[in-house]
Amino acid sequence: MTARSLTVIALGVLAACGDGPGAGDRRILRVAYEREIDLLNPFTSQNLADISYTMIEGLVTTDENNRYVPVLASAIPTMANGLLTVEPNGQVRATWPLRSGVLWHDGAPFSAADVCFTWRFVIDPKSETYNREQYLNIVGCETPNDTTVVFTWSGEYAYYDGLFEAILPRHILGSMSAEEIVRYEPYNRGSKTIGTGPFRFAEWKSGEYIRVVRNDRYWRGADLPAIDEIVWAFIPDANTRLNALKAGRYHFGRILPVQVKEIQSLPGVRTHLVNSNSVMHLDLNVKSDRGRRLFGDLRVRQAIAHAIDREAIATQLMEGTVTIANSPINVSSSYHDARAVHPAFDPAQAAALLDQAGWTAGPDGVRQRDGERLGFTMLNRAGATDRIAVAQVIQAQLKAVGIEVRFETLESAAWTLRWRTGQWESIVSAWFLPADPSLTGLYACDGANNMTGFCDPALDSILERSDRTLDPDRRKRDLDLAQEMLVATARTLPLYYNVVPEVVSRSIGNYRGSGTNFGSFWNVFEWPLAP
Amino acid sequence: MSGYLGRRLLQMVPLLLGISIVVFAVIQAAPGGPEGALLAAGRFVDPAAIEAYRARLGVDQPLPVQYLRWLGAAVSGDLGASFSTSRPVLEMIGERLPATIELMGAAFAIAALAAFGAGAIGGFWPGGWADRIATGGAFLGMAMPIFWLGLVAQLVFGVTLGWLPISGTHTIGATSLGDHFAHLALPAVVLSSRYVASWSRYFRASLLQAAASDHVRTAMAKGLSIVAVRRAHLLRNALGPVASVVTINLAELFTGAVVTETIFAWPGIGRLFVQGMYARDYPLLMGILLLGSLAVVVMNLVADLIYGALDPRVRLR
Amino acid sequence: MRLDRSARIVVAALVTLAAVCFAAPWIAPYPPDAVDLTQLRAAPSAAHWLGTDELGRDVLSRLLFGGRASLALGVLAALLATAVGAGVGATAGYLGGGVDNLLMRLTDVALAIPTLPIAIVLGAYAGNSLPALIAAIAALSWMTTARVVRGEVLTLRETGFVAAAQGLGQSRYGTIRRHLLPNTAGVLAVSATIAVGNAILVESALSFLGLGVQPPTPTWGNMLTDAQATMATRPLLTVFPGLAILLVILGVNLCGEALRPRTRPI
């Protein structure tokens, strides 16, 4: 038995050696994917991005410059092109012209009715769509003809152009209730996952990979997509993924910033540091009495900002792979305000501010005031190594000015519960923002994602105003003001924009990496794959 | 004997019931819920969506109610639907179980061969240099944290030497058995390291003990050659305790390979469990733990039966 | 218990290692959380004998403090597991009847539940608390000891040993304490030593999965895990904690082996 198994293994080795990426006549793109997918419905999946968008398209997507570009729509309505009009009664009509001649994967024609059907699904409370609230401001959907959809909005909403990232097929799901669609396994699992995208579902081997094959009816033209097949292999472990990329078995894979140095010398690939819409930041909580006592004073918050050396974090800890963030809005966005800059690293100034605020040096090096020590806990999430590393650097830097930070580390779901319910004193965390720069949910007094307890009615009215205008210039002015107010009130300290290092084989062309929630495969239809 | 078997089988029922209650309590008591997975990516999620999700999953109901609903379905073979994928838990487990069984089976086979070799060397030539090397190697494999061993193996054999693939069960598109075995090689060898040490030690110790026993000396006094003695008596008597240990380890067939599966991206049950834990996918976790416990209980029974069959001194009452 | 020479050397080495690690707060050159961003992943040098890690912290110091945590965890978890197991096993074996049945069924339930998965679940509660982790790991490993001790106690009962003691006027509790337990000591010693190794391995597996003791508190397990990401370019960072774990586990298992043939009741 031993000799036979040796022979078999030897044969296997030979077979494996022959199968490099792209072998054979078919152009197969192999992706070392960093997570496992739960289901394919883009509205209900918890972790789906790239994979579904190669199969299922929406009205828009985002490009590498963080801008919305039309996909199934042939143009995005704006005031300038006249497709966006404000009615006398305050409502807004957005007319979306759709591309003609688009077919679903099964040959059925795509039409405006599919778009209105998708809207009806999303606004149903049982659809569990993560951004349903934004869709609720659409009060009507009309289809004057097959290639035009008209949405009636209850008022002016600036984020009207970022919705409908996916369209559901009415001819498959049209007769079901929202609840039934959420549970509908053929759509979740692939056998009836019908879209209009450049690829269509082929096979899903649970826990191993998903295969999608070329859609020969793709509306962009007979010669697109330029690839025959994409295989997404699930390799969640970061080290294994790196090793797999180094072994040359995949054309594409995402790695950790700390691994960039490991792969830079590898020939045949290029590592792109894609700027992500995810901003790492330090939050302070003033919901509790203690929180208010410690952080309620602006000088203390400014002192904390002065005490943290973000430059060192970006250049040394993150080895220069990230850019310092001064605003939650990404630097690539046209709404980013370059003038809103958080205080520079200045420990002397930090000490001075703390002295002014009444926190004087205590016997053990930790400042105190009225018998209370300037010490607080930071809630860490177990397994989030990058955040824990940043937290440790912050702890050391704050210690240098007499502030004591203790860690409390909880497992992922336990951490999420405490975070959501505001039971923490400080946190290093990252928001993954959509391309649309609305900050209301994060910073408004009753914003759904404001867990910090900070409340500024003046900021609230500016944020509301920035959401409720269709004039980009007015919106920019309001958002600039909001970003400057955020700096002035020092209620949160953005640290850096996360970077997603993408290792891309040189045999791939037209790669235009994007760090939005649509991901870098937004233009995969035009990627050629050299053999 | 059949009375014994019947009794043991009957005892399995309250045992499994007790296990299900303990497991349910331990899983549910962990803080946090399934919405953790929705929020983990840092995306903005409407609170209404979270509430709708929780309502659909039924996690806001009182715990005894949730347990009884699960139990009621479980006794008729329905282990419920996974929270993450809405698919039947039994189906999800059924998809991933073969991969784990295959990996563990291969690891056991390799471990058995190696342990047999090392144990026999130690048993027949105790104290010699071969014994020391075999022992040393076995212990080394057991003392090294398995993820370290796995990643080193990946780096050496997969990346630097490029001899073997390091993830997945096969090269996609390839259907050859050889390709599949190439993918199985590294994870199986790495996983086997855990068992080689203890099995070879048991085997060696049993061999030595049996060699010193009375009826072997009697057989040799009767003139049987040493080879015949070994074959007829030593091995059979030594196999008793070894069989016990092996069958008990076999119970880990379902869940023993968590770390190895994670490192080598092997699509098994272990990885499914880890993901289920992060997502607090209670039905999936219950299903896997129950099945794993069932395997242990069954294997214990098998071990006891084998021990009884091999060692005539033990009578099963 | 008399051990042969090589086993005694191993024991001495382990005890020395434990003592050195325990003395970490006094002898370590740097505090274990002293972040130094200018010295990330530096090679060994005069200032840092074993180099520095991904946050510029001294590896030697962290190895010492980590050993303190890992060894404490291993030893305490093993002791706790052995104590609980011995207690349960002795009580069950000695009292027999309904108590025996109940305790053994509880043991069966605990034994049946797969170890690493339930460790993963327990890791979700234990968070960063070392005592909680020790309790969790002990909860996974007391069962085998309970069974073995019960078996030994039953054997002792059948050999008339117990009857003789009781005939001489010993109380039940006294019998357990003075006669049964010392005779099972050999078996307990073996399983306790092996349990130390298992506890350390379970902790390192949990660290790998992102659970267990979290940074910045060093343990050998989480040091090894954190060093994996840069294993190809900075292998030394994995070698030191890995070697430490390897040596300790080898050591305790050799001890366990050495103790085994000597165990014979009466």
Side-chain angles (χ1 to χ4, degrees):
Chain A
M1 192 212 151
T2 327
R4 259 189 64 207
S5 42
L6 275 177
T7 322
V8 167
I9 291 180
L11 283 173
V13 167
L14 289 172
C17 285
D19 261 342
D25 285 332
R26 286 174 69 76
R27 297 159 297 176
I28 304 179
L29 177 68
R30 291 181 216 271
V31 178
Y33 205 53
E34 67 274 12
R35 9 165 219 248
E36 245 192 272
I37 299 304
D38 51 353
L39 32 91
L40 294 172
N41 183 330
F43 292 106
T44 58
S45 167
Q46 295 164 7
N47 53 13
L48 190 59
D50 312 285
I51 298 181
S52 79
Y53 294 128
T54 55
M55 295 189 282
I56 301 169
E57 293 173 318
L59 292 182
V60 298
T61 186
T62 46
D63 67 4
E64 75 272 26
N65 295 315
N66 222 352
R67 265 190 274 273
Y68 288 114
V69 295
V71 179
L72 287 176
S74 49
I76 297 180
T78 60
M79 304 283 273
N81 63 15
L83 293 172
L84 196 62
T85 54
V86 183
E87 305 290 289
N89 63 0
Q91 289 186 333
V92 171
R93 280 173 74 81
T95 307
W96 291 79
L98 304 174
R99 299 200 194 264
S100 55
V102 178
L103 297 174
W104 292 98
H105 290 152
D106 58 358
F110 165 77
S111 77
D114 292 306
V115 181
C116 283
F117 164 66
T118 305
W119 168 69
R120 282 194 300 274
F121 167 77
V122 173
I123 59 174
D124 189 311
K126 296 237 166 91
S127 74
E128 297 169 21
T129 310
Y130 70 95
N131 57 355
R132 177 172 160 266
E133 262 188 36
Q134 294 186 323
Y135 288 79
L136 288 178
N137 296 311
I138 301 176
V139 294
C141 185
E142 290 148 37
T143 57
N145 57 50
D146 278 347
T147 53
T148 314
V149 163
V150 182
F151 290 118
T152 309
W153 289 76
S154 59
E156 294 182 38
Y157 286 93
Y159 47 74
Y160 71 94
D161 57 353
L163 303 180
F164 295 100
E165 59 213 38
I167 304 288
L168 300 175
R170 191 178 74 115
H171 63 290
I172 308 263
L173 305 172
S175 55
M176 300 185 219
S177 70
E179 209 175 333
E180 285 167 342
I181 293 175
V182 167
R183 282 197 229 259
Y184 188 54
E185 189 161 320
Y187 190 79
N188 284 340
R189 209 46 207 162
S191 57
K192 288 232 177 91
T193 308
I194 302 291
T196 59
F199 294 89
R200 59 185 167 77
F201 177 83
E203 184 193 358
W204 182 354
K205 204 144 177 284
S206 185
E208 265 201 272
Y209 60 81
I210 285 187
R211 264 180 55 228
V212 298
V213 295
R214 185 178 197 275
N215 174 15
D216 296 320
R217 300 184 235 249
Y218 191 45
W219 55 269
R220 284 192 206 259
D223 54 337
L224 293 177
I227 301 174
D228 292 310
E229 195 175 307
I230 306 180
V231 174
W232 311 81
F234 303 131
I235 309 183
D237 182 79
N239 299 310
T240 309
R241 207 161 56 242
L242 180 69
N243 286 340
L245 287 166
K246 279 181 173 180
R249 293 175 179 269
Y250 294 95
H251 297 106
F252 186 103
R254 296 190 177 113
I255 58 176
L256 302 172
V258 76
Q259 295 172 318
V260 169
K261 281 216 175 110
E262 309 269 307
I263 204 166
Q264 258 168 355
S265 53
L266 196 66
V269 301
R270 224 186 325 235
T271 307
H272 301 263
L273 299 176
V274 178
N275 194 3
S276 151
N277 265 354
S278 164
V279 52
M280 191 76 87
H281 61 272
L282 170 68
D283 264 338
L284 303 167
N285 192 321
V286 293
K287 273 195 176 154
S288 65
D289 287 334
R290 180 142 207 280
R292 276 191 292 275
R293 274 201 311 274
L294 292 180
F295 310 126
D297 188 332
L298 173 66
R299 288 168 298 190
V300 173
R301 301 200 296 272
Q302 286 173 332
I304 291 178
H306 276 294
I308 296 177
D309 186 358
R310 297 181 299 154
E311 185 74 41
I313 292 178
T315 50
Q316 290 167 342
L317 178 64
M318 300 303 292
E319 296 174 328
T321 52
V322 299
T323 30
I324 296 182
N326 280 301
S327 161
I329 297 177
N330 195 288
V331 69
S332 62
S333 164
S334 54
Y335 291 98
H336 174 90
D337 182 2
R339 291 167 313 190
V341 176
H342 279 271
F345 176 56
D346 191 345
Q349 174 69 344
L353 283 167
L354 288 171
D355 285 329
Q356 276 177 39
W359 294 95
T360 50
D364 58 351
V366 177
R367 292 173 181 268
Q368 43 183 320
R369 185 178 74 176
D370 302 331
E372 181 166 36
R373 293 169 90 228
L374 189 51
F376 52 89
T377 46
M378 197 173 278
L379 192 67
N380 286 336
R381 194 171 90 188
T385 26
D386 54 344
R387 297 179 196 190
I388 294 181
V390 171
Q392 289 176 72
V393 174
I394 290 179
Q395 181 191 46
Q397 291 173 345
L398 288 180
K399 184 167 175 204
V401 297
I403 303 177
E404 180 192 58
V405 172
R406 299 174 298 270
F407 289 133
E408 185 184 356
T409 311
L410 293 179
E411 181 262 356
S412 183
W415 177 92
T416 307
L417 181 64
R418 288 271 299 272
W419 172 61
R420 261 189 79 208
T421 50
Q423 298 170 51
W424 46 274
E425 292 183 331
S426 69
I427 239 174
V428 169
S429 176
W431 283 116
F432 193 42
L433 283 76
D436 185 271
S438 170
L439 299 174
T440 320
L442 276 181
Y443 298 116
C445 288
D446 59 355
N449 292 291
N450 180 357
M451 271 77 99
T452 61
F454 278 104
C455 179
D456 182 351
L459 181 64
D460 267 23
S461 50
I462 294 174
L463 288 176
E464 289 279 333
R465 226 170 50 201
S466 76
D467 280 345
R468 298 299 306 268
T469 176
L470 296 174
D471 176 0
D473 292 325
R474 252 216 347 246
R475 193 180 195 201
K476 172 128 181 82
R477 283 198 300 275
D478 282 333
L479 282 175
D480 279 358
L481 191 52
Q483 290 170 78
E484 280 150 34
M485 283 176 74
L486 283 174
V487 170
T489 54
R491 53 191 271 181
T492 176
L493 182 63
L495 297 168
Y496 59 80
Y497 298 112
N498 267 322
V499 77
V500 178
E502 295 185 342
V503 178
V504 182
S505 162
R506 285 182 199 269
S507 45
I508 292 180
N510 284 338
Y511 161 83
R512 286 149 71 184
S514 163
T516 67
N517 56 327
F518 286 93
S520 293
F521 287 87
W522 66 278
N523 68 335
V524 70
F525 58 86
E526 57 185 9
W527 289 10
L529 183 65
Chain B
M1 170 65 151
S2 60
Y4 175 78
L5 189 58
R7 234 172 349 103
R8 286 291 294 267
L9 287 173
L10 215 59
Q11 282 173 351
M12 270 174 28
V13 175
L15 189 59
L16 286 173
L17 197 64
I19 292 171
S20 74
I21 294 177
V22 170
V23 163
F24 182 82
V26 170
I27 293 177
Q28 291 279 358
E35 68 276 4
L38 287 179
L39 298 163
R43 217 167 41 158
F44 300 159
V45 182
D46 283 343
I50 297 178
E51 295 316 314
Y53 182 60
R54 286 178 62 89
R56 174 166 66 88
L57 302 178
V59 293
D60 285 326
Q61 305 204 320
L63 288 182
V65 171
Q66 287 189 55
Y67 174 70
L68 289 171
R69 281 179 68 198
W70 177 86
L71 188 63
V75 293
S76 54
D78 173 15
L79 289 177
S82 154
F83 283 174
S84 327
T85 65
S86 302
R87 296 175 63 209
V89 167
L90 213 48
E91 201 179 292
M92 284 179 75
I93 294 179
E95 267 179 353
R96 307 281 283 251
L97 198 52
T100 296
I101 293 182
E102 184 189 14
L103 178 61
M104 292 295 280
F108 282 152
I110 295 173
L113 277 176
F116 189 79
I121 291 175
F124 295 146
W125 299 282
W129 58 267
D131 182 17
R132 288 191 202 278
I133 292 183
T135 310
F139 273 108
L140 209 64
M142 183 196 64
M144 213 168 153
I146 206 169
F147 64 92
W148 190 30
L149 183 60
L151 282 167
V152 168
Q154 254 186 15
L155 208 52
V156 171
F157 294 102
V159 180
T160 315
L161 294 173
W163 289 353
L164 291 168
I166 59 175
S167 66
T169 59
H170 60 282
T171 310
I172 296 140
T175 48
S176 72
L177 209 55
D179 172 71
H180 181 58
F181 281 157
H183 280 81
L184 185 56
L186 272 181
V189 169
V190 166
L191 190 53
S192 71
S193 65
R194 197 199 303 174
Y195 304 106
V196 174
S198 67
W199 292 4
S200 66
R201 298 312 288 172
Y202 269 105
F203 191 48
R204 180 183 181 277
S206 307
L207 274 178
L208 288 174
Q209 201 159 8
S213 76
D214 289 339
H215 59 274
V216 172
R217 278 189 276 137
T218 312
M220 290 182 66
K222 280 201 275 179
L224 278 176
S225 76
I226 190 94
V227 174
V229 165
R230 283 177 184 170
R231 207 168 351 109
H233 295 278
L234 284 183
L235 289 179
R236 218 181 116 226
N237 284 330
L239 278 175
V242 180
S244 279
V245 170
V246 171
T247 26
I248 287 173
N249 277 149
L250 266 176
E252 292 179 18
L253 198 63
F254 288 8
T255 50
V258 177
V259 173
T260 312
E261 286 175 10
T262 305
I263 293 177
F264 291 98
W266 193 262
I269 285 278
R271 259 179 67 197
L272 192 61
F273 187 87
V274 174
Q275 288 164 343
M277 189 56 205
Y278 280 125
R280 298 289 195 269
D281 192 342
Y282 300 128
L284 183 63
L285 297 174
M286 288 290 288
I288 295 177
L289 284 170
L290 250 315
L291 240 54
S293 305
L294 183 63
V296 174
V297 170
V298 166
M299 281 307 173
N300 273 338
L301 180 56
V302 170
D304 286 344
L305 291 175
I306 290 184
Y307 201 102
L310 281 176
D311 189 343
R313 289 172 294 172
V314 173
R315 257 182 319 124
L316 296 171
R317 285 176 278 107
Chain C
M1 262 172 298
R2 314 262 330 279
L3 303 171
D4 67 3
R5 228 189 95 233
S6 50
R8 267 185 276 163
I9 295 180
V10 170
V11 170
L14 283 177
V15 170
T16 316
L17 181 62
V20 167
C21 289
F22 184 73
W26 298 279
I27 65 173
Y30 296 83
D33 53 0
V35 170
D36 183 354
L37 289 180
T38 59
Q39 293 260 29
L40 299 185
R41 299 190 188 88
S45 64
H48 296 277
W49 290 2
L50 298 182
T52 62
D53 69 0
E54 71 276 3
L55 275 169
R57 299 171 296 203
D58 179 48
V59 172
L60 176 60
S61 308
R62 282 179 68 81
L63 216 52
L64 291 173
F65 278 95
R68 203 158 185 250
S70 293
L71 290 172
L73 182 136
V75 170
L76 290 174
L79 282 178
L80 188 58
T82 308
V84 170
V88 168
T91 315
Y94 188 69
L95 294 179
V99 175
D100 179 16
N101 219 9
L102 180 64
L103 286 176
M104 280 302 107
R105 293 293 80 77
L106 276 174
T107 312
D108 283 343
V109 167
L111 260 177
I113 301 176
T115 316
L116 196 51
I118 212 70
I120 292 171
V121 175
L122 291 175
Y125 299 67
N128 201 25
S129 149
L130 199 57
L133 200 57
I134 290 173
I137 294 181
L140 300 170
S141 22
W142 60 271
M143 296 84 72
T144 331
T145 311
R147 272 218 174 150
V148 169
V149 168
R150 173 181 177 272
E152 288 287 324
V153 170
L154 285 178
T155 315
L156 287 173
R157 274 179 72 178
E158 309 222 339
T159 55
F161 194 70
V162 171
Q166 288 192 311
L168 288 173
Q170 270 282 11
S171 76
R172 270 172 152 197
Y173 181 58
T175 313
I176 294 182
R177 202 161 41 90
R178 280 233 206 85
H179 297 283
L180 294 179
L181 283 184
N183 275 301
T184 58
V187 179
L188 286 178
V190 175
S191 57
T193 30
I194 310 249
V196 172
N198 276 340
I200 296 182
L201 282 177
V202 170
E203 192 270 321
S204 71
L206 286 177
S207 289
F208 172 72
L209 294 171
L211 302 164
V213 178
Q214 292 293 317
T217 314
T219 65
W220 288 340
N222 69 24
M223 285 174 74
L224 185 55
T225 303
D226 285 342
Q228 300 285 15
T230 49
M231 188 161 70
T233 49
R234 289 278 183 271
L236 280 183
L237 287 177
T238 60
V239 165
F240 293 129
L243 216 52
I245 295 179
L246 193 77
L247 291 173
V248 167
I249 298 196
L250 266 178
V252 294
N253 277 292
L254 286 174
C255 279
E257 279 295 303
L259 291 171
R260 216 186 278 269
R262 303 293 189 270
T263 65
R264 212 142 288 254
I266 312 171

